[in-house]
């Protein structure tokens, strides 16, 4: 449903992404692996309309997204959960969630809030408290919830487990799987390759702005270069 073809993205004279192709299917998790600086964040930001690509196509169903502003990418059904979660600490949990619903029809906001409180009961308990007092794992739930408020078809997730304790990482990845199982397509960048491959359906590996491996998560787990680069010698 979301298709990225031959994407090129530059920062001035530095080309960060050179011809990336990736597909995100409804209900599936596509994992993007790669070393620091490989171009993963740049790819997500280009899809999200935060950095215009030099060339290439980004299509969501039959709509072209490559020249759209970020808010119009959200209305096409594609939302970014940024690296570092970026919750607004002084605002309450509920105010943060409402920010995510700014493109949604006003009469659907209350219903969406209730739906998110059912998925993440801890957010309901803390709804009137400042988001800055949530733990890292809870802030990641809030970041997911805020993105879900726009009723997306595809979620782009940039390192959702970053900075979280190992015990929480598995919980977050279980939530990612549950989000996909609800029918949403997920494109996730993650450093925790081994754990992330457990919940992923498809995987691409990016190096120096290019795709060097593309296949199922199962194939990635047994592909020698992926094993060597990301999974250790187990
Ligand atoms: P990381 O895991 O470190 O976030 P990444 O795979 O997400 O890595 P990007 O952040 O997309 O990589 O960076 C790709 C390339 O683009 C790198 O060479 C980086 O130095 C460069 N780059 C990223 N952001 C900018 C910017 N704002 N201005 C100039 N160059 C940038």
């Amino acid at each position: 449903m979301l298709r990225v073809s031959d994407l090129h993205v530059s920062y001035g004279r530095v080309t960060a992404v050179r011809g990336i192709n990736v597909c995100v299917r409804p209900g599936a998790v596509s994992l993007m692996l790669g070393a620091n600086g490989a171009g993963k964040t740049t790819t997500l930001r280009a899809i999200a309309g935060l950095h215009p690509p030099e060339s290439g196509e980004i299509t969501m169903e039959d709509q072209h997204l490559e020249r759209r502003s970020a808010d119009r990418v959200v209305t096409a059904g594609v939302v970014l959960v940024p690296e570092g979660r970026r919750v607004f600490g002084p605002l309450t949990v509920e105010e943060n969630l409402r920010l995510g619903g700014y493109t949604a029809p006003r009469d659907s906001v209350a219903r969406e809030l209730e739906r998110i409180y059912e998925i993440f009961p801890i957010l309901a308990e803390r709804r009137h408290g400042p988001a800055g007092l949530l733990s890292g794992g809870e802030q990641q739930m809030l970041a997911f919830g805020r993105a879900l408020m726009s009723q997306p078809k595809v979620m782009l997730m940039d390192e959702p487990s970053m900075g979280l304790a190992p015990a929480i990482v598995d919980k977050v990845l279980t939530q990612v799987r549950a989000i996909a199982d609800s029918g949403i397509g997920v494109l996730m960048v993650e450093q925790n390759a081994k754990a992330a491959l457990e919940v992923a359906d498809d995987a691409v590996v990016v190096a120096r702005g290019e795709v060097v491996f593309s296949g199922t998560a199962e194939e990635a787990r047994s592909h020698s270069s992926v094993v060597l680069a990301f999974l250790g010698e187990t």
Side-chain angles (χ1 to χ4, degrees):
M1 106 196 337
L2 176 75
R3 188 178 294 273
V4 175
S5 312
D6 202 21
L7 186 74
H8 287 72
V9 190
S10 299
Y11 298 98
R13 271 186 284 169
V14 178
T15 303
V17 169
R18 343 167 162 256
I20 280 186
N21 298 296
V22 66
C23 267
V24 185
R25 299 180 283 125
V29 177
S30 291
L31 175 65
M32 187 179 277
L33 298 172
N36 287 344
K40 307 178 300 294
T41 296
T42 302
T43 300
L44 296 190
R45 287 177 54 83
I47 299 170
L50 294 168
H51 192 95
E54 196 117 308
S55 62
E57 287 195 344
I58 305 166
T59 54
M60 177 66 194
E61 290 156 352
D62 53 356
Q63 302 185 65
H64 276 264
L65 304 187
E66 59 273 351
R67 296 278 163 246
R68 286 198 181 200
S69 57
D71 58 329
R72 292 186 58 237
V73 172
V74 174
T75 52
V78 180
V79 67
L80 174 68
V81 185
E83 188 174 323
R85 300 176 261 284
R86 308 276 171 86
V87 306
F88 295 97
L91 299 186
T92 67
V93 166
E94 185 153 312
E95 285 165 342
N96 271 272
L97 289 173
R98 285 182 184 280
L99 287 176
Y102 79 103
T103 59
R106 207 170 280 177
D107 57 358
S108 71
V109 169
R111 194 179 61 232
E112 283 309 303
L113 272 175
E114 286 315 310
R115 192 173 69 92
I116 283 151
Y117 289 146
E118 272 172 34
I119 304 172
F120 303 115
I122 190 79
L123 298 184
E125 279 173 37
R126 306 287 178 82
R127 67 207 290 172
H128 300 305
L133 290 185
L134 298 178
S135 70
E138 291 163 354
Q139 289 193 11
Q140 187 58 50
M141 283 186 220
L142 179 55
F144 286 153
R146 185 177 57 189
L148 286 166
M149 284 294 291
S150 67
Q151 299 173 254
K153 294 177 184 155
V154 169
M155 282 170 73
L156 311 170
M157 302 180 179
D158 200 351
E159 303 206 18
S161 82
M162 189 190 246
L164 301 180
I168 310 298
V169 171
D170 282 344
K171 283 193 183 160
V172 166
L173 292 173
T174 302
Q175 286 158 7
V176 172
R177 185 65 250 173
I179 287 168
D181 289 343
S182 76
I184 294 172
V186 173
L187 177 58
M188 173 168 67
V189 169
E190 211 7 277
Q191 296 290 349
N192 270 300
K194 199 168 186 175
L197 277 170
E198 297 291 323
V199 302
D201 299 286
D202 304 315
V204 295
V205 177
V206 177
R208 292 172 300 280
E210 292 178 87
V211 174
V212 294
F213 169 88
S214 180
T216 64
E218 189 64 48
E219 287 163 352
R221 275 195 289 265
S222 55
H223 195 273
S224 57
S225 65
V226 178
V227 173
L228 274 175
F230 302 106
L231 303 181
E233 288 176 60
T234 52

